[in-house]
Amino acid sequence: MNNHLNPVTTQVAPLFQTATPAHANIIPSSSPAFSTPIHPIRLLKHAVPQRKPTILPVLLPAVTLRPLAFRVFTKKHNLTLNSASLQVLANFIGKHCGSGWREEGLAENVLEEAAKSWKRNNGGLIVDGDSKEFKDILQNLEGCMNGGRIQTHRDLSRHGSLSNQEISTNKASKDNNGRPSLVGREDSQTSLGMSGLDVEDEKEQDFQAQDPRQYLKVVGAFEQPRLKYDAHRKHFEKLTSAPSLFPNPAHKTQLFRNRYNLIHQRLLRNESFQTPTIAVSRAPSLQRSSSMIATAQQAYKLTPIANLLGRSGSGHVLLGLLTIAPTGTLAISDLTGSIALDIQHARPIPEDGAWFTPGMIVIVDGIYEEEGSAASSGLGGGGGIGGTIGGKFIGLSVGGPPCERREVTLGVGGANGEGELSAGGGFGWVDFLGIGSEKAAGSRMRKLEKTVLGRRDPQDDAPGRNKIAIVGEINLDSPQVIEALKKVLAVYAAELEEHIPITFILVGNFVQYAVVAGGGSGGSIEYKEYFNSLASVISEYPIILQASTFVFVPGDNDPWASAFSAGAATVLPRNGIPDLFTSRVKRAFSTANAEVERSSGSKTDGEAIWTSNPTRLTLFGSAQEIVVFRDDISGRLRRSALTFQRPDVKISEDSSNRLSEGENINRNAGADDHMELDPALEDAESHVPAPKIAQTNNLAAQNDLQAARKLVKTILDQGDLSPFPLTTRPVFWDHADALRLYPLPTALVLVDPEAPPFAVTYEGCHVMNPGRIVAEGRKGVARWVEYDARTRRGKIRDAKY
């Protein structure tokens, strides 16, 4: 019994023990029953990892590394190292490269990879060694170092050195046994830092989807990066402090200071304000440069207002902000002081070509008179530097600061900004909209734009999805507007699918009177019913909802800002329409997309985006930027503009005779700075064959053209969508960057129902105004603007309903 419970362990003599096979294999031996091979399968033994070579760290002074770092960062990559970043690099290279940092070229490879990674992260021109981004770059490089060298098979995708496609390619390049295959030359170059933004395979381009909508992005006013121009470093800095609706009062001063610094640095780069380095021996002759007249011998020089003291009777050129002094007189101010301005004898430049109102930054050419020889301005004359300067400045001519083209600001060479990056200045490394800088992604995006949209040939009318329909002043409480909107949608629904616009931009006011303010448009319930009726209208065209993106931009009468303004000018920028009123419209898009998926099995991504006013649309990254702004700006300019004395009768007759010669005067004399007009504007204005009525319409079209050019030049020269005092047009101090027009956008949609519809081009920026959707003076005609993203030009279209 005990033997049964506790079995006895027997000892086996070594003679009778079974010998262990030479190769222990779990697979049975060769046998017909198991169909196993005769020879055993040898398992692949894992290679013993190589031992990482050791590097003896050295103490590398920053002064010793400075020449090499200057050659790589500054001369090659146009970057600047401060003392902190140079010391951090010296410590890093001395620790990981050792004594062979110079002889073996180890330091140069590390500096090259660090510079490329910094540029891919959209870093500034100054490399800050204390920043978190730079520390992350070095930490990533540290994991890729082996024996003082950067390993090509390491994963550098953390900072964009290796794209996701390359990582998957490396994974797929392993054979069945798990052994990595040989790395090709292209893979090794990419791993060392050649970004996919700069070098793109042709096969990858062909693989890209041909729908331009996937490269369209809407950037709201409150989503843009907040940037400040540093006048000392000559560079933009990103503000890290959180924005507030009730900021420090110093932010109000910073708002105007930033505007002044931007225009001042832009003006100093203009040819008229640059002193020629080579003297010209020929006689002085007038030649036109940009928007001002300068002589070949002379360059304009700006004088700070504080430097006028003690220089009575001398002529100067001032750049300053037009303001109204506490005494009610006109004054001009800059960062050094303020002085009374007398424009009794001043002439605007160009004549009747721009608006001048308080709140604008202007250039004034005139003579300074001290207080002793001129009447005092009324405020006790003893103001010093930083205050009101005694005396007054007699202006002889007043003009706006000349505009700067977009490709000049971003440093892009070639005709129309389509060439490669230039080696000159510019702010190409600045990410103005949070979508990537021009020099980081612009070259690749322009190639992608040509692949998807085709070449920019104005004569080429090949089919393609490159249209954007812009409809303004859609008053949903008006039955005529509803019928006109139906006609616009029916025009595109009747066309082929490849001709449907990629985007419909619908701009308010969406009601005629302010909502929730006791006006005629009712309250919130009525306002929601208006959008419910809009949802019913657009639901009749499901093919458009499935293939297009609708962007809704509010006006001053739309909630909730209208509840406090009661129809007056609201604070800019303003938020989009609340989701409380838009649920039915969103449901219409969801239903249209679901029907396509249910019937054909394919998914569509038609959507409605409710954005702010103003807002920006980017197409193919930084390749195209479209600014959309709704404001009654022309009426505000007429109410606030300064009035100048008319010239005598003789000059008036001469100027009228010159203006009657036609529109070619602008191209011959350049008075409007190369401003072009859309030929479809005249066709949209006159359709009556009667001779007298035709002449009247032609005269009206010329007046509308002059008003459009005057408005466009004023806004683009100021570089701001609201160049008014804060008492006239309130602005959120911490979000004033959303109103900035620097660099100039590719296109500007300025929806102003009080101005005539137009489509003109000024300094490479195409400005459009669709006006009201219901054409005034033409019964039963719907009017809108159609923008071609390929040619970057718009035209006015109309249709009878």
Side-chain angles (χ1 to χ4, degrees):
M1 189 173 178
N2 293 334
N3 295 336
H4 177 71
L5 294 176
N6 299 319
V8 180
T9 303
T10 59
Q11 298 289 337
V12 180
L15 179 62
F16 302 101
Q17 290 181 354
T18 306
T20 303
H23 299 280
N25 194 344
I26 59 176
I27 302 178
S29 61
S30 176
S31 172
F34 295 96
S35 298
T36 55
I38 301 176
H39 302 285
I41 300 176
R42 297 183 179 181
L43 296 180
L44 179 64
K45 295 184 179 180
H46 297 282
V48 179
Q50 298 180 358
R51 189 176 183 180
K52 185 177 181 179
T54 58
I55 293 294
L56 182 62
V58 296
L59 183 60
L60 180 60
V63 181
T64 308
L65 185 64
R66 185 186 299 274
L68 181 60
F70 177 79
R71 185 170 72 249
V72 175
F73 273 81
T74 304
K75 287 191 174 182
K76 188 173 182 179
H77 294 281
N78 198 21
L79 298 174
T80 302
L81 289 173
N82 55 18
S83 57
S85 58
L86 183 61
Q87 185 62 46
V88 171
L89 285 173
N91 296 338
F92 181 86
I93 293 175
K95 178 181 178 181
H96 296 90
C97 297
S99 58
W101 67 274
R102 176 181 296 176
E103 290 78 5
E104 301 178 12
L106 304 180
E108 186 173 359
N109 294 335
V110 173
L111 294 174
E112 182 75 16
E113 184 63 34
K116 289 181 179 180
S117 299
W118 176 264
K119 290 166 67 175
R120 287 187 210 100
N121 286 322
N122 296 326
L125 292 179
I126 300 177
V127 181
D128 188 5
D130 298 330
S131 62
K132 183 179 180 298
E133 292 80 5
F134 191 68
K135 293 179 180 178
D136 291 342
I137 291 175
L138 295 184
Q139 184 179 359
N140 185 54
L141 289 178
E142 184 177 1
C144 303
M145 299 289 292
N146 186 11
R149 303 180 185 275
I150 302 177
Q151 297 298 311
T152 59
H153 64 275
R154 301 272 181 169
D155 181 11
L156 297 179
S157 62
R158 181 177 179 181
H159 293 281
S161 298
L162 190 62
S163 62
N164 295 331
Q165 180 181 359
E166 293 156 359
I167 295 175
S168 60
T169 305
N170 292 338
K171 292 180 180 179
S173 62
K174 298 180 180 180
D175 55 19
N176 297 330
N177 295 331
R179 292 188 296 264
S181 60
L182 296 177
V183 180
R185 183 173 181 266
E186 296 180 357
D187 294 338
S188 62
Q189 288 180 352
T190 315
S191 303
L192 284 173
M194 297 186 68
S195 173
L197 298 177
D198 299 329
V199 180
E200 187 179 29
D201 192 3
E202 296 180 357
K203 296 181 179 179
E204 183 181 353
Q205 289 184 354
D206 297 338
F207 184 75
Q208 298 285 350
Q210 297 299 318
D211 189 3
R213 273 202 305 154
Q214 68 175 358
Y215 306 105
L216 176 71
K217 183 179 180 181
V218 179
V219 182
F222 299 94
E223 301 172 0
Q224 295 179 213
R226 299 170 53 239
L227 303 175
K228 181 189 73 172
Y229 180 76
D230 192 338
H232 299 286
R233 297 184 178 182
K234 305 294 189 297
H235 189 64
F236 285 90
E237 293 182 351
K238 187 175 182 180
L239 298 177
T240 57
S241 59
S244 173
L245 298 181
F246 304 98
N248 191 292
H251 293 195
K252 178 181 179 181
T253 307
Q254 184 62 38
L255 184 153
F256 293 100
R257 185 186 300 270
N258 197 28
R259 276 187 57 196
Y260 181 87
N261 288 332
L262 279 178
I263 293 181
H264 184 263
Q265 63 85 24
R266 187 185 79 189
L267 198 62
L268 294 182
R269 291 206 305 270
N270 189 277
E271 296 179 359
S272 300
F273 292 85
Q274 294 179 356
T275 304
T277 57
I278 302 177
V280 183
S281 58
R282 63 182 181 181
S285 61
L286 292 178
Q287 61 179 8
R288 185 164 298 276
S289 174
S290 295
S291 59
M292 301 191 67
I293 298 180
T295 63
Q297 298 278 359
Q298 176 187 3
Y300 292 108
K301 182 179 180 181
L302 299 177
T303 302
I305 292 180
N307 292 357
L308 295 177
L309 291 174
R311 305 172 70 177
S312 178
S314 57
H316 302 276
V317 178
L318 303 183
L319 175 68
L321 179 73
L322 290 178
T323 58
I324 301 297
T327 56
T329 59
L330 184 65
I332 183 171
S333 305
D334 64 3
L335 300 183
T336 63
S338 177
I339 188 173
L341 180 63
D342 184 1
I343 60 171
Q344 182 179 0
H345 306 285
R347 302 303 312 146
I349 298 178
E351 189 75 30
D352 197 23
W355 298 99
F356 299 99
T357 66
M360 292 185 179
I361 297 178
V362 297
I363 302 174
V364 182
D365 185 10
I367 302 174
Y368 170 63
E369 287 190 1
E370 287 184 348
E371 191 173 6
S373 58
S376 174
S377 61
L379 266 184
I385 296 178
T388 302
I389 307 301
K392 64 179 180 180
F393 191 79
I394 301 177
L396 301 179
S397 59
V398 181
C403 195
E404 185 178 76
R405 300 179 69 91
R406 177 180 178 86
E407 54 266 21
V408 176
T409 304
L410 298 179
V412 180
N416 298 327
E418 294 183 351
E420 298 297 331
L421 299 178
S422 64
F427 302 102
W429 287 114
V430 180
D431 186 5
F432 290 97
L433 299 180
I435 58 173
S437 62
E438 169 64 31
K439 291 190 177 181
S443 178
R444 176 179 181 270
M445 285 301 173
R446 283 192 296 271
K447 294 178 182 178
L448 192 59
E449 179 187 11
K450 293 180 181 179
T451 303
V452 177
L453 297 181
R455 297 286 179 178
R456 288 179 52 188
D457 187 4
Q459 305 298 331
D460 187 9
D461 196 15
R465 300 208 59 195
N466 49 15
K467 301 293 192 301
I468 296 178
I470 306 169
V471 188
E473 199 65 13
I474 305 178
N475 302 139
L476 299 178
D477 54 347
S478 172
Q480 294 181 356
V481 172
I482 297 296
E483 294 298 326
L485 182 59
K486 287 183 179 180
K487 182 59 180 180
V488 174
L489 296 177
V491 168
Y492 292 108
E495 297 181 355
L496 299 177
E497 185 176 357
E498 56 267 17
H499 292 168
I500 297 179
I502 58 177
T503 304
F504 284 85
I505 302 178
L506 306 183
V507 186
N509 296 312
F510 291 104
V511 287
Q512 301 182 40
Y513 306 98
V515 178
V516 201
S521 297
S524 59
I525 298 178
E526 290 80 3
Y527 191 78
K528 183 174 177 58
E529 291 296 330
Y530 296 148
F531 275 98
N532 291 346
S533 62
L534 174 63
S536 302
V537 170
I538 62 178
S539 297
E540 300 176 4
Y541 308 95
I543 185 174
I544 296 181
L545 301 185
Q546 297 159 7
S548 301
T549 300
F550 280 64
V551 179
F552 294 85
V553 180
D556 289 339
N557 291 342
D558 297 308
W560 293 114
S562 61
F564 305 95
S565 64
T570 58
V571 185
L572 291 177
R574 58 151 298 168
N575 282 313
I577 298 177
D579 297 338
L580 171 67
F581 307 103
T582 62
S583 58
R584 190 71 63 86
V585 177
K586 294 179 180 178
R587 191 184 309 168
F589 281 87
S590 302
T591 304
N593 294 332
E595 290 180 357
V596 176
E597 185 176 0
R598 187 167 49 250
S599 60
S600 62
S602 59
K603 293 184 179 181
T604 57
D605 52 354
E607 59 177 342
I609 300 177
W610 309 84
T611 182
S612 61
N613 181 33
T615 189
R616 299 173 190 259
L617 281 72
T618 63
L619 191 61
F620 298 99
S622 59
Q624 291 196 42
E625 176 186 351
I626 304 174
V627 178
V628 183
F629 183 48
R630 167 64 177 90
D631 189 26
D632 299 330
I633 192 171
S634 60
R636 191 176 296 107
L637 287 172
R638 288 192 295 267
R639 293 190 299 267
S640 307
L642 302 178
T643 57
F644 298 88
Q645 288 187 357
R646 293 289 181 182
D648 53 16
V649 178
K650 182 178 180 180
I651 298 178
S652 177
E653 292 177 356
D654 293 341
S655 59
S656 61
N657 292 334
R658 291 206 321 260
L659 289 176
S660 62
E661 294 177 359
E663 301 172 2
N664 293 330
I665 185 174
N666 297 320
R667 289 187 288 270
N668 296 334
D672 286 295
D673 305 327
H674 315 291
M675 194 177 295
E676 301 174 1
L677 170 69
D678 175 27
L681 180 60
E682 295 181 355
D683 299 336
E685 291 294 337
S686 59
H687 295 277
V688 183
K692 294 183 179 181
I693 299 180
Q695 293 179 0
T696 303
N697 290 340
N698 291 333
L699 180 61
Q702 290 182 3
N703 295 334
D704 292 346
L705 171 62
Q706 178 66 20
R709 288 177 169 174
K710 190 174 182 180
L711 174 62
V712 169
K713 178 176 174 56
T714 302
I715 298 301
L716 296 188
D717 282 350
Q718 291 298 316
D720 196 273
L721 290 172
S722 181
F724 303 101
L726 297 182
T727 54
T728 303
R729 185 57 156 162
V731 174
F732 286 122
W733 302 344
D734 283 359
H735 295 283
D737 288 343
L739 306 177
R740 183 183 59 230
L741 293 177
Y742 188 80
L744 278 184
T746 308
L748 170 62
V749 180
L750 190 63
V751 183
D752 186 1
E754 298 181 2
F758 58 82
V760 297
T761 302
Y762 175 61
E763 293 294 346
C765 178
H766 192 67
V767 186
M768 300 164 285
N769 177 28
R772 300 178 182 272
I773 184 176
V774 178
E776 296 182 352
R778 300 174 61 188
K779 185 177 180 181
V781 176
R783 183 165 52 194
W784 72 99
V785 167
E786 186 180 81
Y787 177 75
D788 192 340
R790 180 173 54 188
T791 60
R792 301 184 181 182
R793 292 294 182 269
K795 63 179 179 180
I796 300 174
R797 294 194 58 179
D798 54 6
K800 292 185 178 181
Y801 59 90

